[in-house]
Amino acid sequence: MTYKINTENSGLDTDQQASRMADLAIERGYDVAFTAESGDVQGYDDNGECITCPIPNQEWMQLVEIAAALTPTTCG
């Protein structure tokens, strides 16, 4: 089951950053996806168990750090 990443569970400031984090995790082989939904977005697997994050804590923090380095582009 796919683990969903949003700004709330990642701690990132923007949807763009959370989306980039999800893309990076997918590139590393994790079954995750970005969602713009807010709140608890995980849901449950076929056995009724809450879907847990497949990314180890240390790697999660690394992905957050990389994604947080993205600065929103602004039109001047």
Side-chain angles (χ1 to χ4, degrees), residues 10-66:
S10 67
L12 292 163
D13 294 327
T14 68
D15 283 349
Q16 179 185 18
Q17 292 170 328
S19 177
R20 180 64 180 137
M21 180 182 172
D23 290 343
L24 290 167
I26 291 166
E27 289 172 10
R28 294 182 183 197
Y30 293 106
D31 184 11
V32 300
F34 166 73
T35 181
E37 295 175 49
S38 61
D40 182 12
V41 294
Q42 295 320 316
Y44 299 89
D45 65 17
D46 295 336
N47 297 322
E49 298 291 323
C50 184
I51 298 170
T52 58
C53 181
I55 306 169
N57 287 340
Q58 185 175 0
E59 192 168 3
W60 176 273
M61 295 309 297
Q62 182 183 52
L63 292 170
V64 168
E65 186 176 322
I66 293 168

